[in-house]
Amino acid sequence: MPYAYDDQNIFARILRGEIPNDTVMETEHTLAFRDITPQAPVHVLVIPKGPYVTYDHFCDQASDAEIVDFARTCAAICKQEGIAADTTPGYRAISNAGEHPIQEVPHYHMHLLGGRPLGRMLARADD
Ligand code: 5GP
């Protein structure tokens, strides 16, 4: 089934200015703001301004300009927030897509997390 974008999702409402956000960076095609329930000292959500549901939807349907803008903005945020992996202990970039990873908000977003040790990516029985 093709992706159907729900324009009433919370990030669409943030983009329309209906709900406040703590903006970290904004460009022509991308908005980044702090997660309302941060899981680490740095927890930024990076979203495209266009109506994309998941990472694969974005990469398949967005223009080259949107994709480049998004990627460069992620890099700029890592520098700005002091989590870039070349000069600090680094960060984790996560994007949940769909039901199995429990995507809560159906507007594509990248979580950038850092500022503390983050453990393994996925819990394992022997961890
Ligand atoms: P997901 O589970 O979809 O990957 O992540 C959604 C994220 O959005 C969660 O980490 C949640 O805390 C965050 N979130 C949900 N509602 C809001 C909101 O209204 N404002 C902000 N800044 N973050 C939100």
Side-chain angles (χ1 to χ4, degrees):
M1 194 163 70
Y3 285 112
Y5 183 77
D6 168 17
D7 68 5
Q8 294 307 310
N9 79 74
I10 200 96
F11 294 170
R13 299 185 64 201
I14 284 175
L15 283 167
R16 289 196 295 268
E18 295 169 9
I19 294 174
N21 74 92
D22 185 357
T23 298
V24 167
M25 197 172 287
E26 182 168 10
T27 67
E28 182 181 0
H29 297 296
T30 307
L31 179 68
F33 49 90
R34 297 194 192 284
D35 196 292
I36 203 166
T37 312
Q39 304 295 314
V42 176
H43 188 170
V44 175
L45 300 171
V46 191
I47 70 173
K49 291 182 177 177
Y52 306 105
V53 180
T54 62
Y55 175 69
D56 55 295
H57 187 208
F58 177 67
C59 292
D60 188 50
Q61 298 291 318
S63 67
D64 289 2
E66 291 175 293
I67 292 170
V68 169
D69 184 86
F70 188 92
R72 297 282 192 219
T73 301
C74 287
I77 291 164
C78 288
K79 282 186 192 146
Q80 177 179 291
E81 296 295 311
I83 58 171
D86 57 344
T87 53
T88 81
Y91 65 94
R92 177 169 294 144
I94 305 174
S95 185
N96 296 312
E99 184 183 337
H100 272 185
I102 313 179
Q103 180 179 4
E104 183 186 321
V105 180
H107 181 112
Y108 167 51
H109 50 283
M110 184 69 80
H111 297 255
L112 296 177
L113 297 138
R116 68 166 173 81
L118 295 164
R120 291 186 192 277
M121 184 172 69
L122 299 173
R124 296 191 319 198
D126 59 349
D127 279 343

